[in-house]
Amino acid sequence: MEALEAIGEGPDSWNTMMLLYNAALKEINTKVEILIDEFQHVHRYNPIEYVKSRIKSPESIVAKLKRYGYEPTIHNMVQYCNDISGIRIVCSFTSDIYRIVESIQRQNDLRILQVKDYISKPKESGYKSYHLLVSVPIFLSDRVVDTKVEIQIRTIAMDFWASLEHKIYYKFEGKAPAYISRDLRECADFVSMLDAKMLSLNEAIQAAKKVNEEEAEAERKATRPAD
């Protein structure tokens, strides 16, 4: 397999890189779609509420490299921009997040490059999400190129909080007043409590459903005519 760095420099190389990142995102999207189909068909349950994906524009990539003090080269693009291809998987409950993580980690054509569990260890801001940086092989006509994709997995509540936090900080260009940061952290605590409560409620519903099914089955057996 060929590493991304081997693509080289130049305008055509940038176009090739964007083609590869787009292809890698398609591969991951397809894998997620298959998981959704499998969960619905086999388990009669889909832990994934919705999926979002995006590719950073060349302008955004260059701006990010310059912001961190790097020259806008292919080498630096590969080394320091891990979120060029990104997919966000939004789940119903926190337990679903780890279920999806396990499903992704079992796929042996993916190489796990980095794991960041911001759910068990949230960021100081209150941000919670599970991040996987994976490498997916892209089969071209004459070679195979390993290409990186960032996967974010979170609940609906976590996604709601993160989206609003991004909008708020964007308005202040990353320098929000202290009281806003404090209130955002407080809201993050509310989100965590909501997720915990909804998970507990779902578990109670599943337990009650199981009891009802067992009682119904026992009643059917009791009323069944003897042979």
Side-chain angles (χ1 to χ4, degrees):
M1 289 189 186
E2 186 173 298
L4 279 172
E5 290 91 333
I7 298 298
E9 302 292 341
D12 288 341
S13 297
W14 274 80
N15 291 334
T16 300
M17 293 296 290
M18 299 312 295
L19 179 150
L20 286 166
Y21 280 113
N22 189 57
L25 190 57
K26 288 180 180 178
E27 289 280 353
I28 298 298
N29 266 314
T30 299
K31 287 179 177 294
V32 174
E33 288 173 5
I34 292 171
L35 278 178
I36 291 172
D37 289 344
E38 190 260 340
F39 274 115
Q40 289 175 331
H41 178 70
V42 177
H43 305 290
R44 300 292 190 272
Y45 170 71
N46 180 19
I48 299 174
E49 290 288 337
Y50 54 89
V51 178
K52 300 177 182 178
S53 60
R54 62 104 184 95
I55 296 281
K56 271 188 181 295
S57 67
E59 293 79 12
S60 295
I61 296 168
V62 170
K64 182 173 183 177
L65 288 172
K66 288 183 176 179
R67 189 164 64 249
Y68 288 101
Y70 299 113
E71 290 294 319
T73 64
I74 295 291
H75 174 78
N76 288 340
M77 174 184 179
V78 174
Q79 287 295 314
Y80 305 113
C81 288
N82 291 329
D83 60 345
I84 295 173
S85 286
I87 183 169
R88 185 179 305 152
I89 302 170
V90 180
C91 302
S92 306
F93 308 103
T94 50
S95 58
D96 293 331
I97 294 173
Y98 293 99
R99 195 174 185 181
I100 295 300
V101 169
E102 289 174 0
S103 297
I104 292 172
Q105 290 175 331
R106 280 196 295 266
Q107 305 208 16
N108 57 21
D109 59 332
L110 295 180
R111 190 156 55 97
I112 307 298
L113 303 177
Q114 191 179 79
V115 175
K116 292 182 179 179
D117 186 353
Y118 294 121
I119 296 173
S120 61
K121 295 181 179 178
K123 289 186 178 182
E124 186 179 349
S125 65
Y127 174 87
K128 298 180 76 174
S129 186
Y130 199 106
H131 292 193
L132 289 169
L133 180 64
V134 303
S135 178
V136 56
I138 301 302
F139 290 81
L140 301 178
S141 60
D142 59 347
R143 53 191 160 161
V144 181
V145 185
D146 276 334
T147 308
K148 292 186 288 187
V149 178
E150 183 188 58
I151 305 173
Q152 298 178 353
I153 312 169
R154 57 180 68 153
T155 64
I156 301 171
M158 292 174 195
D159 192 49
F160 171 73
W161 183 92
S163 297
L164 290 185
E165 185 223 23
H166 177 75
K167 290 177 181 177
I168 290 169
Y169 275 107
Y170 181 79
K171 292 177 181 177
F172 290 100
E173 297 182 347
K175 298 177 181 178
Y179 74 91
I180 289 181
S181 297
R182 183 182 63 249
D183 287 349
L184 276 170
R185 283 193 295 271
E186 186 176 325
C187 288
D189 292 337
F190 294 149
V191 165
S192 296
M193 287 188 288
L194 176 62
D195 270 333
K197 185 65 176 178
M198 295 304 292
L199 176 59
S200 176
L201 181 60
N202 182 61
E203 290 172 346
I205 291 170
Q206 296 305 317
K209 182 180 177 183
K210 184 178 180 181
V211 169
N212 288 340
E213 290 173 349
E214 289 173 350
E215 289 176 349
E217 179 63 22
E219 185 177 343
R220 279 195 297 271
K221 288 181 178 179
T223 57
R224 187 179 299 161
D227 293 333

